[in-house]
Amino acid sequence: MKVSKVGAAAAAVVALALTATACGGDSDKGDGGSGDKVVVGIKFDQPGIGLKTADGKFTGFDVDVAKYVAKKLGYDEKDIEFKQAPSAQRETMLQNGDVKFIVASYSINDKRKAKVDFAGPYFLAHQDLLVRADDNSITKAEDLNKKKLCSVTGSTSAQNVKEKLAPEADLKQVGGYSECITGLENKSVDAITTDNSILAGYAAQPDHAGKFKLLGLTLSDENYGIGLKKGDPDRAKINQALKDMVADGSWDKFVKANFGPANYKNEPAPQVTEGS
C-alpha cells in the first residue's frame, strides 16, 4: 500500500509538470506572449493606422495587420492585448519584453535595427506635409524655414526635415499627432510632417473635413516593419504571414478599408526583405 501511495504521488508530480508545460508560458512564444495571450504594440491615436475609439475598440490598417499576423502565430483575436506604443518608446518596449511585437507605423532604419529586429516591410509610405486648406504659403519643404513645424518625438520625419530639408524651421515635437492637429487648427503651428498614410487618416476624419490639405510631396521613403526583440525566433513566421497576407488578398482589403475614404494613393505591397 505504501508503494502505491509513493507511485501515486510521483504520478501527480509528473502530471503537474506536464500541465505546467502545456498551459504555462510557452517558451516558443517569446517575450510579450504566452500560450494563451499575446501583447502587441500599436498606435492609439492615428486614424486609419491605429486608433483606440471611445468605446474601447481598435481600428486601422496596422491593427488589421497585427490581427492577421497574430492569428498566423496561433492566437485568436480575443487573445490579443493591444498596448500603446509611442514612437519614442518602441525600442524600449521590445527590449524589455513588454510586447511580443510592434505594428505601429514603424519605419525600418539602420539606427533602429541596431537595437531591435524587424519583419517585413509590409507597407511603403512617403513623408509629406499637412497644412491648412487656405494656406498657400507652403508648397515645398524649403518653405518651412522660419515656419512652425510640428511632429512627434522619436519620429524619423521630424529629424529628416530639420537636418536635410528646412534647417531653419521652428520644430515642435510633441507626444502624439493629435496635438499637432490641434495646433494646426488653432494656428499655433503652420504644418505637420509625418508619413502621408498617417496624415491622410487625420485629414479624412469627419470633423476635419475641408480644414486641411496634403501637399503630395515625397520627402522620403518609409518602409513599415514589424518590430521584434533582437533574436526573436518568430521573425521567419511573421515574414511568411506578411507574404500570405498579400497573396490571399487580405493586404488589399485592409488598404481599401482604412485608406479608401481618404482617396489615398498607396504604393503596391513591398517585397519582404528583412531577415532574409
Side-chain angles (χ1 to χ4, degrees):
M1 192 69 176
K2 288 181 180 179
V3 174
S4 63
K5 285 183 178 180
V6 171
V13 170
V14 172
L16 284 171
L18 289 172
T19 301
T21 301
C23 300
D26 184 346
S27 60
D28 288 340
K29 299 295 184 183
D31 289 322
S34 71
D36 301 314
K37 299 286 184 181
V38 64
V39 184
V40 180
I42 61 168
K43 294 289 186 173
F44 278 17
D45 66 342
Q46 291 181 355
I49 299 287
L51 181 70
K52 184 177 182 180
T53 61
D55 58 0
K57 295 180 180 178
F58 299 95
T59 65
F61 179 75
D62 280 354
V63 175
D64 290 336
V65 171
K67 290 176 180 178
Y68 187 98
V69 169
K71 187 173 183 179
K72 288 288 187 176
L73 292 179
Y75 298 100
D76 292 330
E77 187 173 330
K78 63 180 176 58
D79 299 323
I80 303 171
E81 177 189 339
F82 286 119
K83 192 166 189 175
Q84 188 171 19
S87 295
Q89 298 176 25
R90 290 176 295 203
E91 286 84 36
T92 301
M93 291 175 71
L94 289 168
Q95 291 170 331
N96 291 345
D98 297 328
V99 293
K100 169 65 175 176
F101 59 87
I102 289 179
V103 193
S105 55
Y106 201 2
S107 297
I108 301 169
N109 62 40
D110 289 339
K111 183 177 179 181
R112 289 168 177 168
K113 286 168 69 171
K115 299 178 181 179
V116 300
D117 283 341
F118 284 97
Y122 64 91
F123 193 82
L124 174 59
H126 300 293
Q127 184 181 349
D128 201 353
L129 297 174
L130 188 72
V131 299
R132 286 181 290 276
D134 60 355
D135 185 355
N136 297 315
S137 67
I138 303 172
T139 59
K140 57 186 183 298
E142 290 74 16
D143 293 336
L144 292 171
N145 284 312
K146 308 298 184 183
K147 298 279 190 176
K148 295 178 181 178
L149 175 67
C150 190
S151 195
V152 167
T153 303
S155 73
T156 56
S157 300
Q159 296 308 315
N160 188 44
V161 168
K162 187 67 177 176
E163 293 171 8
K164 302 176 183 178
L165 303 172
E168 295 181 37
D170 181 5
L171 178 60
K172 179 181 182 181
Q173 298 187 74
V174 297
Y177 291 108
S178 296
E179 295 176 59
C180 286
I181 290 290
T182 299
L184 188 61
E185 190 169 14
N186 64 28
K187 299 186 178 182
S188 63
V189 299
D190 301 304
I192 304 171
T193 188
T194 187
D195 304 342
N196 51 8
S197 56
I198 298 171
L199 295 174
Y202 278 107
Q205 295 299 291
D207 55 341
H208 296 153
K211 294 181 181 178
F212 311 118
K213 63 182 178 183
L214 271 170
L215 294 188
L217 306 178
T218 303
L219 303 180
S220 69
D221 293 334
E222 304 296 336
N223 280 292
Y224 290 175
I226 294 181
L228 295 154
K229 188 173 184 178
K230 276 284 187 185
D232 191 314
D234 282 335
R235 177 158 70 166
K237 293 180 182 178
I238 293 176
N239 275 332
Q240 186 58 52
L242 295 177
K243 294 175 184 178
D244 293 344
M245 183 175 65
V246 175
D248 68 16
S250 295
W251 188 90
D252 284 324
K253 183 178 73 173
F254 298 157
V255 169
K256 290 175 183 175
N258 293 289
F259 301 128
N263 294 317
Y264 171 69
K265 295 178 176 60
N266 63 281
E267 298 279 4
Q271 293 293 314
V272 173
T273 56
E274 293 299 313
S276 59

